Amino acid sequence: MTHFFGQHAFLPPDGISGRTDRITNVPAVFVRGRLDIASPLGVVWRLAQQLPLATLQVVEDEGHGGADLTDQLLIQATDRFAQ
């Protein structure tokens, strides 16, 4: 896994961000802990800025693991998509 992530998942620098035009019509919800050092907030913030139907919910006191609030936000998002 370390090698995989160290190689940026074997994608070019814009491998994901350079192709967001393909999914601008897809709603998305990103839930991220502000204290998550494994997945820095700036990365998902920039991605959410490129997607007009995306929302970013930041859980202030959360890191990478799921807390009750994070779990609730994810359940709410999937419930909205199911409707």
Side-chain angles (χ1 to χ4, degrees), residues 47-63:
L47 181 59
Q49 296 302 302
Q50 295 179 16
L51 300 172
L53 300 180
T55 58
L56 171 60
Q57 296 176 306
V58 179
V59 181
E60 290 299 323
D61 295 325
E62 180 60 28

Side-chain angles (χ1 to χ4, degrees), residues 34-58:
R34 182 173 299 281
L35 305 176
D36 186 349
I37 60 171
S39 302
L41 185 58
V43 174
V44 73
W45 182 84
R46 286 188 298 276
L47 181 59
Q49 296 302 302
Q50 295 179 16
L51 300 172
L53 300 180
T55 58
L56 171 60
Q57 296 176 306
V58 179

Side-chain angles (χ1 to χ4, degrees), residues 1-2 5 13 15 19-20 42 49 56-57 65 68 70 75 77 81:
M1 283 309 272
T2 303
F5 287 117
R19 297 179 178 149
T20 56
Q49 296 302 302
L56 171 60
Q57 296 176 306
D68 289 340
T70 299
I75 291 167
F81 289 135

Side-chain angles (χ1 to χ4, degrees), residues 6 8-9 20 64:
H8 307 287
T20 56
H64 191 70

